[in-house]
Amino acid sequence: MGGHTLIVTNDFPPKTGGIDLFALEMTRRFPPDSVTVVAFGGPDADAGDAEMPWEVVRLPVRTLLPTPRTISAVCELARERGADSVWFASSTPLGFMARKVRHRTGVRRIVATSHGHEVWWARIPGGRQVLRRIGDSVDALTFISKYTRARIAPALSPAARRRMVEVSPGVNPWGSGVGLPAEGEVPRGEELGEASADGGRARARHGLGEGPVVLSVSRLVPRKGQDRLIELWPSVVAVHPEARLVIVGTGSYEETLLEMAEASAASSSIVLTGRLPDADLADLYAAAAVFAMPCRSRLGGLEVEGLGIVFLEAQAAGVPVVVGRSGGAPEAVIDGETGLVVDPGDLGAIRGAVLELLGDPERAARMGAAGRAWVTSSWTWDARYEVLAGLLGRG
Ligand code: GDP
């Protein structure tokens, strides 16, 4: 497959959210000399770029916006590199420049990828107009879940709606699915093998004893529902005194969650680890009996979970999941088979789901195995890349 693709993105390492991971997992699958990543700048933004096998051009702004200067820089790069396709890894707002890029360069195919936050854009008047223009300027606007598609599509023209294609997140075939390199590290591949995961190592490292571990991994923000887990935890420990709740990640809600954990009657069995390297995370998945993230929608449905890569990653590691009913999150699990979907506003329901799985380890193990089989066959980054590459005319 020939051609050169410009990947224009505000989401890329060293940032570490779900969209950054999405952009990285797609980028690493292109032949490295056939892509140029155009990304944000700022202090240390380029720390790991030299080790990446593809070219990364950092523009001198912390956030790329479709300003005349940025559009000119993108067009110049497209011409210099002979790019025939452009991928906007997150459609808003950068996809707004698609029309100009097409007119001013030899680029023939343009694809923009929507995630969870486009649901918000689709709900506000100015945002809808931006989305409509993007939809009309690109060859395909992709979506990550049926939920987000249903919310975004009404903002688009009928023609753009017909060009929507599903490209959801995935996991890596080698096991746990965790694949984001640590800051400044070379993007990793197969060496993060299943065999390297060691639950005993995680138990020793975090002082978890021998009891069942309930794990939650994600950015620490109110939407993800780690506060609910801390609230209900004493009632879980009342039934399973040896159980441990392990919350991994960092974010704006960290201080609040730390205070809640400290004030809890079950504080000695709650561990907040902060951000961990992927290898530690793989060890924790190997130790976990249950993965729980009772995510919730906020701001009247403007802020939702688009899908939740962490649910896929947990299932890929063979761990059953407890999933909050928010946005597209229920699509990341087969309710009753690979995990349980709960109403995130109902503390009793979340507690019930966690206890149901802790109380029946055989069923939990069956669910974990089913989740692993489902996710590693139906949710791979490799398959997503094939779709994206095809849309970019590189299939
Ligand atoms: P989003 O940021 O809201 O899109 O959340 P997602 O659940 O969709 O994706 C978050 C990604 O960041 C997943 O791949 C997680 O494994 C990863 N992640 C979140 N916190 C940590 C952490 O502390 N360590 C590591 N290694 N990965 C993390």
Side-chain angles (χ1 to χ4, degrees):
M1 64 160 174
H4 195 95
T5 300
L6 278 198
I7 297 174
V8 184
T9 184
N10 269 315
D11 304 278
F12 207 71
K15 284 170 56 201
T16 54
I19 308 177
D20 313 288
L21 178 71
F22 195 117
L24 176 68
E25 290 293 351
M26 291 297 105
T27 302
R28 73 203 305 183
R29 282 168 170 78
F30 287 88
D33 54 1
S34 77
V35 289
T36 299
V37 177
V38 187
F40 55 90
D44 296 329
D46 62 352
D49 290 356
E51 290 151 79
M52 296 197 182
W54 50 76
E55 180 188 31
V56 183
V57 176
R58 298 279 174 180
L59 298 185
V61 282
R62 280 171 191 243
T63 305
L64 303 184
L65 293 169
T67 58
R69 183 178 287 200
T70 296
I71 295 171
S72 295
V74 169
C75 289
E76 202 177 314
L77 273 164
R79 284 190 296 265
E80 277 175 17
R81 303 295 184 275
D84 48 18
S85 58
V86 173
W87 178 44
F88 294 103
S90 178
S91 70
T92 47
L94 288 174
F96 199 72
M97 68 172 84
R99 191 176 296 170
K100 289 196 170 129
V101 171
R102 195 189 298 272
H103 287 159
R104 293 187 199 170
T105 69
V107 165
R108 287 187 315 234
R109 302 284 300 174
I110 304 184
V111 176
T113 289
S114 65
H115 300 270
H117 66 96
E118 279 83 357
V119 170
W120 175 84
W121 286 78
R123 289 268 301 265
I124 56 167
R128 261 200 301 280
Q129 282 165 3
V130 172
L131 266 177
R132 191 176 176 92
R133 156 117 174 216
I134 293 171
D136 285 338
S137 322
V138 299
D139 295 287
L141 178 65
T142 74
F143 59 92
I144 58 165
S145 63
K146 287 166 187 57
Y147 177 92
T148 62
R149 188 199 182 282
R151 299 307 178 282
I152 294 166
L156 306 180
S157 67
R161 225 173 279 165
R162 282 194 294 276
R163 294 197 301 272
M164 291 183 84
V165 176
E166 181 163 4
V167 183
S168 41
V171 295
N172 283 311
W174 54 82
S176 76
V178 287
L180 201 61
E183 282 182 32
E185 210 173 88
V186 187
R188 289 185 290 178
E190 291 63 23
E191 78 268 27
L192 190 69
E194 209 184 330
S196 68
D198 180 343
R201 202 157 52 201
R203 286 180 183 279
R205 191 178 294 141
H206 301 288
L208 304 179
E210 296 302 319
V213 171
V214 175
L215 176 64
S216 198
V217 180
S218 81
R219 288 183 297 125
L220 304 184
V221 292
R223 183 180 93 225
K224 305 286 185 176
Q226 298 97 342
D227 49 1
R228 297 274 191 269
L229 294 175
I230 296 175
E231 270 177 67
L232 63 82
W233 194 246
S235 66
V236 171
V237 172
V239 184
H240 298 279
E242 300 299 314
R244 294 286 185 278
L245 173 62
V246 180
I247 296 175
V248 180
T250 185
S252 57
Y253 209 34
E254 189 160 4
E255 205 59 37
T256 310
L257 293 173
L258 280 167
E259 280 167 19
M260 284 180 71
E262 221 161 88
S264 167
S267 61
S268 61
S269 64
I270 304 174
V271 182
L272 276 86
T273 65
R275 189 174 170 80
L276 292 178
D278 282 352
D280 290 1
L281 207 48
D283 288 344
L284 269 170
Y285 277 118
V290 176
F291 179 91
M293 193 173 91
C295 46
R296 59 180 180 259
S297 303
R298 297 180 70 238
L299 311 175
L302 287 178
E303 189 192 329
V304 296
E305 191 65 30
L307 184 81
I309 298 178
V310 287
F311 297 126
L312 303 177
E313 292 172 343
Q315 289 169 95
V319 182
V321 291
V322 174
V323 177
R325 190 174 288 107
S326 166
E331 295 173 43
V333 56
I334 306 176
D335 192 14
E337 270 184 51
T338 69
L340 299 170
V341 178
V342 294
D343 173 355
D346 183 346
L347 214 56
I350 306 169
R351 173 179 181 269
V354 170
L355 284 178
E356 201 177 317
L357 295 174
L358 289 185
D360 190 347
E362 276 172 28
R363 178 166 180 237
R366 272 200 309 277
M367 280 186 156
R372 187 185 173 92
W374 181 57
V375 166
T376 53
S377 62
S378 307
W379 293 87
T380 67
W381 288 118
D382 286 342
R384 305 302 181 250
Y385 168 74
E386 292 304 322
V387 177
L388 179 68
L391 293 173
L392 289 165
R394 305 193 48 165

